[in-house]
Amino acid sequence: KSSEDLIENKKIKENKIILIANTIRNLKKNAKACVSVLVSVLGRHHILLAGEPGIGKSHTIKKMIHFLI
């Protein structure tokens, strides 16, 4: 690989780390859901989120999609 390819790959990895860190920062409001979904996503397990409307279930899942990319 050329040095340009290595630099580009490093930038991509750095951007992904920043994106994941920002996602975790945004989801701190509901720490229990964040940890549960994070463990599920990183372990590639299933999870069921249940609760009242408006507590951020869909928002949490939409943000966690970054961990799969």
Side-chain angles (χ1 to χ4, degrees):
K1 290 185 176 183
S2 70
S3 61
E4 291 176 3
D5 289 338
L6 293 174
I7 292 171
E8 184 65 27
N9 286 341
K10 184 177 178 182
K11 287 180 183 179
I12 290 170
K13 288 179 183 178
E14 288 173 353
N15 287 338
K16 186 172 181 179
I17 290 169
I18 291 169
L19 181 62
I20 291 170
N22 288 337
T23 300
I24 291 171
R25 227 177 270 122
N26 288 335
L27 295 171
K28 275 186 178 178
K29 297 173 189 170
N30 192 346
K32 188 175 180 181
C34 181
V35 170
S36 299
V37 173
L38 181 60
V39 168
S40 176
V41 168
L42 293 177
R44 306 244 182 221
H45 301 289
H46 297 277
I47 190 167
L48 171 68
L49 294 179
E52 298 293 322
I55 62 171
K57 298 179 297 287
S58 296
H59 174 75
T60 300
I61 297 302
K62 287 176 186 173
K63 291 298 180 181
M64 286 296 176
I65 209 80
H66 299 295
F67 292 105
L68 299 173
I69 297 173

